[in-house]
Amino acid sequence: MTEREPLSVILFQTHPLTLLENREALPSVLRVVDFLRGHGRSGLYLRQVEIAGNDTKFIERHKRLISLFVNALLADPEYGLDVSSVAEEGFEERYGFRRKSPLILFRFLDPELKPEDLREAEDMALDVNAFSKLRIGRCKVLIVENEITYLSLSSLPRTLLIFGAGRAVVNLRSVPWLKECSLFYMGDLDGAGLSILSSLRESLKDVPVQSLMMDEDTFRQYAAYAVESKVPVRGEPAELTDEERNLYRLLSAGGLEGRDRLEQELIPLSVIENRLRDALT
């Protein structure tokens, strides 16, 4: 342990409670550190990693704790890790593991948009790489957060519909042809939904994203269907319009009579479809 003592001292000085709370896991964490020192950017899936004494899900369960140690190693040239190609995003990317390529779920609300080889398909799923190579041309791209809304929406001219599925929207940042399209996002009216909207704009910096029905007027109109989210609001998202920010601040202050979450699916679908037609046609 002498080789690790300076590292352990630094971490106990900066993160004492975290290390004390996880003291039983520390020997296993140090085995992961040794693996990374010996194997560099392995390109393995996390559950592929075989480390004697560790189960195959250990790394997934302790990403934050492992990061504390590995980040200290990366900052110390004494340990000799090559960090020249280390990405600043995602655990797997940062530490050289392989990440399962996420799937994009989508539907064509206008069959005329479909590429020839997809004419017979209805609901579709492609990994990000394949999705980024589609040739669709200029169109409107609507991203919705709720599954029932995604499944229920009917035809809209020159519109591609994407199931956002929470923070999966950030996977769209590597899709180049979105720059040719008009993007719209409709999510839950709560702190999480507005944070996802902000994350989408941050991921697609060169592509304007317009929100639909994510404003204070819509929330007040359907406030009877709202509930208490029981999720603390942390930090105001940066990429919001003034109208969206007003809603966020209302929700952060407790919403209306303690109700601060309105799920997208609780708004009548006929209302959603009418609003979409007004916005997209």
Side-chain angles (χ1 to χ4, degrees):
M1 290 291 289
T2 55
E3 189 174 293
R4 294 168 174 153
E5 283 178 1
L7 173 62
S8 300
V9 169
I10 292 172
L11 291 176
F12 271 109
Q13 289 174 342
T14 55
H15 299 85
L17 293 179
T18 298
L19 297 192
L20 287 172
E21 289 170 359
N22 295 276
R23 55 186 175 275
E24 293 183 3
L26 294 186
S28 295
V29 170
L30 292 173
R31 287 194 283 269
V32 176
V33 169
D34 286 341
F35 174 86
L36 288 169
R37 291 180 63 202
H39 296 81
R41 300 180 65 77
S42 68
L44 298 174
Y45 290 111
L46 294 184
R47 295 190 190 182
Q48 253 186 302
V49 177
E50 296 183 11
I51 299 175
N54 289 16
D55 66 69
T56 56
K57 292 186 179 181
F58 179 84
I59 298 177
E60 286 183 355
R61 295 197 306 270
H62 295 86
K63 288 181 179 181
R64 181 172 178 272
L65 191 60
I66 292 167
S67 292
L68 289 179
F69 278 87
V70 181
N71 287 349
L73 283 174
L74 296 178
D76 191 339
E78 172 188 344
Y79 291 90
L81 290 179
D82 178 12
V83 299
S84 59
S85 59
V86 170
E88 293 298 330
E89 57 181 356
F91 184 92
E92 287 84 353
E93 289 88 347
R94 180 166 177 78
Y95 303 125
F97 294 108
R98 186 176 180 184
R99 185 167 65 94
K100 182 173 67 174
S101 182
L103 292 177
I104 305 294
L105 276 65
F106 63 102
R107 297 172 54 214
F108 290 96
L109 298 185
D110 184 345
E112 294 302 316
L113 281 178
K114 286 186 181 181
E116 192 63 35
D117 55 347
L118 296 176
R119 287 291 180 186
E120 302 303 317
E122 293 298 331
D123 296 328
M124 286 160 271
L126 293 174
D127 66 37
V128 173
N129 290 333
F131 187 77
S132 68
K133 295 174 183 176
L134 286 178
R135 294 293 177 264
I136 296 174
R138 297 182 64 85
C139 67
K140 289 162 284 191
V141 176
L142 171 61
I143 304 164
V144 297
E145 183 176 352
N146 181 265
E147 185 178 25
I148 295 301
T149 306
Y150 168 77
L151 293 172
S152 304
L153 287 176
S154 55
S155 61
L156 284 168
R158 298 207 59 79
T159 301
L160 175 71
L161 178 65
I162 295 176
F163 180 35
R167 295 193 177 274
V169 294
V170 299
N171 296 323
L172 298 173
R173 62 190 165 197
S174 59
V175 180
W177 53 262
L178 288 177
K179 295 180 181 180
E180 303 173 10
C181 303
S182 301
L183 262 67
F184 301 85
Y185 178 77
M186 184 170 61
D188 290 338
L189 281 75
D190 61 4
L194 289 164
S195 294
I196 292 169
L197 171 61
S198 179
S199 296
L200 178 60
R201 286 176 175 148
E202 290 172 358
S203 298
L204 302 172
K205 293 185 182 298
D206 300 326
V207 185
V209 179
Q210 180 179 331
S211 69
L212 296 171
M213 299 183 70
M214 298 185 72
D215 53 75
E216 185 176 344
D217 287 346
T218 300
F219 185 84
R220 289 184 179 277
Q221 185 175 357
Y222 297 99
Y225 306 142
V227 297
E228 181 185 356
S229 68
K230 299 181 180 179
V231 177
V233 176
R234 294 192 179 96
E236 188 171 280
E239 299 297 330
L240 296 179
T241 65
D242 290 342
E243 196 173 47
E244 295 156 359
R245 201 174 304 282
N246 289 339
L247 172 60
Y248 190 90
R249 290 173 179 173
L250 171 67
L251 301 178
S252 300
L256 298 175
E257 299 179 355
R259 300 191 300 271
D260 60 351
R261 182 169 190 253
L262 175 60
E263 291 180 272
Q264 183 186 105
E265 64 182 330
L266 295 178
I267 301 173
L269 186 62
S270 60
V271 173
I272 291 176
E273 288 188 324
N274 287 336
R275 291 283 293 273
L276 289 178
R277 291 191 187 286
D278 289 343
L280 301 180
T281 58

